[in-house]
């Protein structure tokens, strides 16, 4: 097994130079909650099967430009190194993106929330990435940068396949930006796991809905753990647009959300169960959003 080279850049520019030079030979280390496990498993598997073994690790934990949660006009921006604990406790996130804060509170153990970063959660591209469904619902974009350019990608287009994103080898996730939720918008998040805590999601759903005079406006629905990548239920959203709060419309939307579910059966749950829960949770959260709006008078 080749010896790992461990690099600790002090600036964003230095980080991008390393990525431009080493590209596919290097991997990024942020909070380390995923990569540490992958490296350990690779060491145990040495001589039997190659699981994961980069030649160079680039530790970005010292890069100040990748930290912090800030308000920029009508947007909230989070750096890639923001931890799940910081998201859960942020006044800005709880006020303008409560579904993301709720997802962070439900993520892993306190140790994982203290160490795990937003960029790491997105970059691993797990279908069960906790922050993905709420960020899809919040209309977030992922900010990417390399030595040669800068681009922003809608979060639902960032994921390509299990463990794969559109991130190029010389690109770094700088952070995420989403428009602040308005007073006439409401959001709900729900996650089903095998346990109440420290559990990978079996199904996760996040909904943000614009509401006006007992009607739905624009609605965004993000789904996790029900397809090869986090997805958006576009047809379910379309059915609700400019429609009244009633059981027929909500049931039609829930059926459309069900149609986006791909059958995934693993040790945690059957594909049939996951798809059934997508329908039930979509209906339940939409009813909750509508009832809460009505109760406000």
């Amino acid at each position: 097994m080749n010896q790992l080279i461990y690099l600790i850049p002090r600036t964003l520019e230095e980080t991008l130079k390393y990525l431009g030079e080493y590209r596919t030979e290097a991997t990024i280390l942020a909070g380390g909650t995923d990569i540490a496990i992958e490296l350990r498993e690779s060491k145990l598997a040495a001589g039997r099967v190659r699981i994961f073994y980069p030649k160079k690790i680039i530790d970005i934990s010292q890069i100040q430009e990748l930290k912090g949660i800030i308000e920029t006009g009508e947007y909230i921006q989070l750096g890639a190194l923001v931890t799940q604990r910081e998201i859960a406790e942020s006044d800005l996130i709880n006020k303008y993106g409560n579904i993301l804060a709720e997802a962070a509170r439900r993520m892993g153990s306190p140790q994982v929330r203290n160490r795990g970063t937003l960029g790491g959660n997105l970059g691993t591209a797990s279908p069960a990435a906790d922050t993905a469904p709420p960020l899809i619902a919040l209309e977030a974009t992922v900010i990417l940068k390399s030595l040669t350019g800068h681009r922003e990608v809608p979060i639902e287009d960032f994921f390509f396949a299990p463990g794969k994103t559109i991130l190029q080898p010389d690109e770094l996730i700088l952070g995420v930006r989403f428009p602040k939720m308005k007073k006439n918008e409401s959001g709900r998040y729900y996650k089903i796991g095998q346990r109440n805590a420290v559990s990978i999601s079996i199904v996760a759903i996040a909904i943000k809905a614009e509401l006006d005079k007992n009607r739905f406006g624009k609605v965004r629905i993000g789904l996790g753990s029900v397809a090869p990548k986090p997805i958006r239920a576009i047809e379910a959203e379309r059915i609700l647009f400019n429609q009244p709060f009633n059981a027929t419309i909500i049931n039609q939307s829930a059926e459309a959300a069900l149609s986006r579910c791909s059958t995934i059966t693993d040790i945690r749950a059957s594909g049939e169960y996951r798809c059934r829960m997508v329908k039930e949770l979509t209906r339940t959260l939409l009813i909750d959003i509508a009832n809460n709006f009505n109760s406000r008078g």
Side-chain angles (χ1 to χ4, degrees), residues 1 36-53:
M1 184 180 294
I37 294 172
E38 291 177 335
L39 287 170
R40 183 185 64 194
E41 289 180 347
S42 292
K43 184 176 182 180
L44 293 174
R48 294 183 284 116
V49 59
R50 183 182 184 275
I51 299 175
F52 173 77
Y53 200 79

Side-chain angles (χ1 to χ4, degrees), residues 60-288:
I60 61 171
S61 62
Q62 305 302 309
I63 311 303
Q64 294 302 312
E65 296 99 317
L66 303 180
K67 300 180 180 181
I69 300 171
I70 59 174
E71 184 177 2
T72 58
E74 295 304 309
Y75 292 85
I76 299 298
Q77 185 165 320
L78 303 86
L81 289 180
V82 169
T83 66
Q84 301 302 328
R85 179 182 176 181
E86 289 172 327
I87 293 172
E89 296 178 354
S90 165
D91 291 338
L92 284 174
I93 302 298
N94 278 282
K95 181 177 181 179
Y96 295 117
N98 65 297
I99 51 179
L100 179 59
E102 179 61 23
R105 283 191 286 271
R106 297 286 303 277
M107 184 177 180
S109 65
Q111 294 90 338
V112 168
R113 291 193 294 274
N114 286 338
R115 292 286 303 174
T117 64
L118 175 63
N121 191 241
L122 298 178
T124 54
S126 167
D130 291 83
T131 58
L135 286 172
I136 289 173
L138 289 167
E139 305 177 70
T141 56
V142 185
I143 307 166
L144 309 176
K145 187 171 179 60
S146 68
L147 283 175
T148 58
H150 170 282
R151 59 177 176 149
E152 295 190 18
V153 180
I155 184 72
E156 62 265 31
D157 297 333
F158 178 70
F159 304 104
F160 180 69
K164 296 182 180 179
T165 71
I166 64 168
L167 190 70
Q168 296 299 306
D170 63 340
E171 284 184 313
L172 183 70
I173 300 174
L174 291 188
V176 169
R177 180 187 295 118
F178 65 84
K180 294 189 289 189
M181 287 180 65
K182 302 177 178 63
K183 291 183 179 179
N184 67 331
E185 292 179 325
S186 183
R188 294 292 184 275
Y189 171 83
Y190 198 86
K191 167 183 171 179
I192 296 176
Q194 291 179 318
R195 301 182 299 279
N196 290 330
V198 201
S199 179
I200 298 173
S201 66
I202 293 173
V203 177
I205 178 170
I207 300 178
K208 183 188 75 169
E210 184 182 62
L211 309 161
D212 182 43
K213 296 179 180 178
N214 293 321
R215 284 182 176 270
F216 291 105
K218 184 169 70 172
V219 179
R220 295 268 300 198
I221 302 174
L223 303 173
S225 294
V226 298
K229 61 180 183 177
I231 58 173
R232 183 179 161 202
I234 297 176
E235 180 61 19
E237 300 168 358
R238 185 193 65 78
I239 288 170
L240 294 166
F241 181 69
N242 201 31
Q243 293 299 313
F245 302 161
N246 64 53
T248 299
I249 293 299
I250 288 174
N251 286 338
Q252 288 176 1
S253 179
E255 287 284 355
L258 167 64
S259 71
R260 289 288 284 137
C261 180
S262 301
T263 302
I264 298 177
T265 296
D266 58 22
I267 60 173
R268 290 179 290 124
S270 69
E272 179 183 0
Y273 173 79
R274 283 187 163 97
C275 291
R276 187 168 71 249
M277 287 301 100
V278 166
K279 179 179 177 180
E280 293 304 318
L281 289 176
T282 300
R283 176 168 39 233
T284 298
L285 296 189
L286 287 172
I287 291 172
D288 186 40

Side-chain angles (χ1 to χ4, degrees), residues 2-7 17-29 35 39 50 52-58 168-170:
N2 296 326
Q3 185 176 3
L4 272 175
I5 296 175
Y6 193 84
L7 304 167
K17 285 181 179 179
Y18 282 145
L19 284 173
E21 180 177 357
Y22 300 124
R23 297 176 68 85
T24 57
E25 293 184 355
T27 192
I28 293 292
L29 171 68
I35 191 174
L39 287 170
R50 183 182 184 275
F52 173 77
Y53 200 79
K55 294 181 179 179
K56 298 171 180 67
I57 290 180
I58 304 174
Q168 296 299 306
D170 63 340

